[in-house]
Structures are given as structure tokens and as C-alpha cells.
Amino acid sequence: MVDQFFRNYIDGLHVHEFKSITKEVCKLPSFLSPALFRKIDPNCTDIVTRDAFIKYWIDGNMLSMDTASQIYNILRQQGCKYLRQADFKPVLDELLATHPGLEFLRTTSEFQERYAETVIYRIFYYINRSGTGCLTLRELKRGNLIAAMQQLDEEDDINKIIRYFSYEHFYVIYCKFWELDGDHDCFIDKDNLIKYGNNALTYRIVDRIFSQVPRKFTSKVEGKMSYEDFVYFILAEEDKSSEPSLEYWFKCVDLDENGVITPNEMQFFFEEQLHRMECVTQEAVLFSDILCQIIDMIGPEKENCITFQDLKGSKLSGNVFNILFNLNKFMAFETRDPFLIRQEREDPNLTEWDRFAQREYVRLSMEEDVDEVSNGSADVWDEPLEPPF
């Protein structure tokens, strides 16, 4: 098969001619083609010959590897034992240049960059469980990124690839950031974040986030959260059923950082929640009753504390954090919001994040449609959402 592809290219293939090799011979996603080409052509001659391909792919034992190992070796830098965020940039550049579902972004370079960054941040949030920014082969194999990458070649609608690559999911994240970043300096402070979700969060939990206990900020500006930091926050806040989210909030509530959450630590956060409930005339709840409810929900090994392992073993763990510091979600949980219950039953395979992104995208679409109609724009219903610049 290799000879067949190189038969008419005795001098070798250029990068734009190499895609069929990537897809048909290597059985890899087509948008990995430039990265594979550069790996075989490290001296940047802009030509890959048959012999060079054979040497790298067959003699280099790439053919015998599983798909995750192949992709890992193609993307990682020479001599490096892990993948960094920058290693995924060529993949996203090619995806943006070639995928039909992203064609409408090709005239907005700044928005393309934001999309690429967001996809990479999402990948590292879910898969880089060590939180080091260094993605190992083991982490890559344990995650679901490879399956999502393989889907991209088969599906023209990018929004159907809900793991990592959905444009709609990106749009929701970026619009949420844009709404909070009042001065549009690409940073968010405590006063901005407290407004998130219609002031859903308590001051105490926002203070813990900005103490950088759950995650060290990438922002170099004191007291400010960068866009990357916000992506990690919103994924943790809106998908509390996921392990990365449970770990994020566990670190926030574990005030003395001793690896367990005690009743005193839970009470510290619930005190502000209780005060807020009283302010909106909700019936006050005794903390002792709340503690019993939490213990029943989690079923910890020891009744006087909750470990991270305890949380991982319960499907209701995310609700514990909502009880402690998110008033809106606490009340929705208490009243068993029929809309949310119906949503869960309609598609049980969707995560909390998927359902949130779905709802928010519809809301943002409707708001944009209203704005464009009020400005006298025609054919508004068929236009894709424009970037908020």
C-alpha cells in the first residue's frame, strides 16, 4: 500500500499531499498529518520520501504501537517524556484550517485562537489528572481523547463531538468569561467572579478559589484569574459529577489541607449559605440537619469526616458542594427541579456539563437573535453565532 501512494511521487510527498498517507496507511485522524509530516522531516526539507516514511513508521516500530502511543510519539518533543499544551497547537491549527464544521471561523483569527486554547485547556482539565501540565502516555490512554479525535474525521458537525471539540461548548465558556470580564482586559477578579451564575456562589468559596488552593493560577497578575483559570473553574462548577471537579472543590473545603473534610469545615462554608437563605426568606435549615443529610448522601467510612475516596464512591457527591456554597443549585436540588429531572431522563448519557452547555447555548442564541432583529438584520435565524468582539 505504501508503494501505491508513493508511485507517482518519486521525489517524495509535500505536506499537502501527505494526508492520504496519514489516514489510509497510518489509520490516524487526518488533522494529525502536518505533525506526522514534520516528525518524519525534522530538517524541514518540505519533502517526505518513501524511504523516510518506511524508516520512521515501520523501522521505528510505530506500526506495532496502539493508536494512543502513536499519537503520543508524534506529538511529543524529542527527548520529552510527556505532552505539553503547546504540543497540541499544530493539531488544532490543522483542525481549524480543514474541518467543515469550523469553516465559518476562518475569517476571525482571534476567535480561532480562543477556540484552540479552550479545547487544549479542556483536554488537560479532564485528562492530566496529576495537574502538572505534563500529560503522560498513561494519562492519554486512560482518557477518552483518542476516541474524540477519531470521531472528527467522520463527523462534519463539530458540535456533535461534545468531548473537547464542540464549538457550542467553547462559545458558552468564552461568553461566560466575556460577561464577567467587565473591562475586557482578559482577567477576572473576585468582584467579577462573585457575579457568576446570578451571584450563586458564596464569598467564602470565591476567597478559597482566589487563594489558589484548588489550582495555582496561570495568571501573573496578583488577584486576577486568567481565561485558562476560568475554564478550569467553570468546568469544575458545572460538572460536579466528574472526578476533576470533586478534587477541585474538595481542596477548597479542606481548610487545613489534611486530606479530610470535617463537620467544622463544612459548617464554616454553610454559615454564609444559611445567612443568604434567610435573606431571601427561605426557611432556615439547621446545620445539624444538613450534616445528617450529607452523611446519608455520601455514606463515608468514618462518620466524623469525609475523604476524597468517600466522595468518589457516591453519585450524589456534587450536591454536597452545592449545599455548602451554591444557593441556586442547592434550592434546585431541594425542590427537585422538574425541568432538570426531565433533561436527565431524556438523555442519561449526557454529563452535567453537557446539559449546562446545551441550555446556555440556546439562551445565548436567543439573546443574539433578539439583538440582531432589533438592529434590523435580515436572515438572522440562519446565521452562526458571531464572536463577541
Side-chain angles (χ1 to χ4, degrees):
M1 181 180 277
V2 175
D3 289 338
Q4 177 186 334
F5 281 100
F6 280 94
R7 183 176 300 137
N8 297 324
Y9 301 91
I10 299 172
D11 296 328
L13 296 168
H14 292 280
V15 66
H16 65 275
E17 299 162 334
F18 192 72
K19 191 172 287 187
S20 55
I21 292 282
T22 305
K23 195 170 180 182
E24 303 300 328
V25 177
C26 303
K27 307 298 182 184
L28 292 172
S30 62
F31 52 89
L32 282 168
S33 191
L36 176 57
F37 186 93
R38 296 302 171 206
K39 201 75 174 183
I40 302 172
D41 178 37
N43 296 323
C44 299
T45 64
D46 294 328
I47 286 283
V48 166
T49 64
R50 173 192 175 279
D51 290 347
F53 176 76
I54 294 290
K55 182 180 178 181
Y56 179 80
W57 191 253
I58 298 176
D59 297 347
N61 295 321
M62 288 289 285
L63 186 60
S64 62
M65 295 180 188
D66 58 73
T67 304
S69 298
Q70 289 172 346
I71 292 174
Y72 172 79
N73 281 290
I74 291 167
L75 296 183
R76 71 186 174 97
Q77 298 299 307
Q78 186 71 30
C80 200
K81 295 183 178 179
Y82 51 80
L83 296 176
R84 303 162 302 162
Q85 290 187 4
D87 295 329
F88 286 89
K89 189 65 168 62
V91 176
L92 269 298
D93 288 344
E94 180 68 7
L95 186 70
L96 282 159
T98 60
H99 198 284
L102 295 169
E103 186 176 0
F104 70 98
L105 279 182
R106 285 170 202 163
T107 57
T108 56
S109 59
E110 190 169 356
F111 222 47
Q112 283 186 320
E113 289 175 21
R114 286 299 186 198
Y115 170 82
E117 289 171 359
T118 307
V119 170
I120 293 169
Y121 297 155
R122 291 182 69 187
I123 289 169
F124 274 73
Y125 171 82
Y126 283 108
I127 298 181
N128 182 215
R129 298 299 306 117
S130 62
T132 59
C134 302
L135 191 65
T136 64
L137 176 58
R138 184 184 180 195
E139 288 176 323
L140 186 63
K141 286 184 175 183
R142 292 178 64 184
N144 55 4
L145 175 61
I146 303 303
M149 292 174 82
Q150 290 169 329
Q151 272 186 281
L152 286 165
D153 263 342
E154 313 305 324
E155 179 54 68
D156 287 347
D157 185 352
I158 197 75
N159 295 314
K160 290 185 178 178
I161 319 296
I162 57 177
R163 297 292 160 260
Y164 314 111
F165 296 99
S166 166
Y167 167 79
E168 292 181 357
H169 287 198
F170 151 69
Y171 190 84
V172 167
I173 293 171
Y174 193 65
C175 283
K176 284 290 186 181
F177 180 80
W178 187 260
E179 288 171 358
L180 295 176
D181 179 20
D183 56 6
H184 302 313
D185 63 350
C186 293
F187 292 104
I188 284 176
D189 59 22
K190 285 184 185 180
D191 291 336
N192 299 139
L193 193 63
I194 201 69
K195 297 172 185 174
Y196 181 83
N198 294 321
N199 297 86
L201 300 172
T202 63
Y203 283 95
R204 288 182 179 180
I205 201 64
V206 170
D207 283 343
R208 286 293 283 173
I209 293 167
F210 275 83
S211 72
Q212 302 181 44
V213 170
R215 181 177 184 271
K216 187 79 173 171
F217 284 176
T218 58
S219 163
K220 304 300 180 187
V221 182
E222 184 70 26
K224 299 275 185 142
M225 172 186 276
S226 70
Y227 177 61
E228 179 178 349
D229 303 323
F230 178 77
V231 172
Y232 273 69
F233 158 77
I234 194 173
L235 292 174
E237 171 55 26
E238 301 302 343
D239 192 11
K240 291 195 179 83
S241 62
S242 71
E243 189 170 319
S245 173
L246 293 177
E247 186 173 358
Y248 187 97
W249 297 117
F250 183 89
K251 289 178 178 178
C252 281
V253 178
D254 180 16
L255 294 171
D256 57 9
E257 300 178 40
N258 67 344
V260 296
I261 295 175
T262 63
N264 285 341
E265 288 169 327
M266 288 186 274
Q267 186 168 15
F268 171 78
F269 288 98
F270 189 72
E271 280 173 356
E272 187 180 349
Q273 188 85 303
L274 179 59
H275 176 68
R276 299 172 86 214
M277 291 169 66
E278 290 171 344
C279 288
V280 294
T281 67
Q282 293 286 348
E283 183 181 348
V285 181
L286 294 174
F287 176 71
S288 57
D289 294 335
I290 287 294
L291 182 60
C292 287
Q293 184 180 8
I294 290 173
I295 296 300
D296 288 344
M297 288 164 62
I298 302 301
E301 193 171 322
K302 298 178 182 177
E303 286 202 1
N304 63 337
C305 65
I306 294 174
T307 66
F308 184 60
Q309 287 300 121
D310 291 331
L311 289 175
K312 285 170 64 176
S314 171
K315 292 183 179 180
L316 297 173
S317 296
N319 293 311
V320 170
F321 297 120
N322 290 332
I323 289 170
L324 296 179
F325 51 74
N326 188 313
L327 184 58
N328 297 345
K329 290 182 179 178
F330 176 33
M331 299 318 300
F333 173 68
E334 285 293 288
T335 56
R336 302 298 191 274
D337 188 328
F339 173 74
L340 296 178
I341 292 171
R342 187 171 69 252
Q343 246 196 343
E344 290 173 16
R345 286 174 179 168
E346 284 174 356
D347 197 337
N349 295 320
L350 294 181
T351 66
E352 289 180 19
W353 164 257
D354 298 332
R355 285 188 281 269
F356 166 79
Q358 199 174 63
R359 291 193 305 271
E360 282 300 303
Y361 188 79
V362 169
R363 180 184 69 81
L364 291 165
S365 301
M366 292 175 69
E367 286 180 2
E368 177 137 338
D369 288 343
V370 169
D371 288 343
E372 292 197 26
V373 169
S374 66
N375 291 331
S377 173
D379 301 324
V380 65
W381 308 108
D382 298 322
E383 292 296 316
L385 289 179
E386 292 297 326
F389 292 114

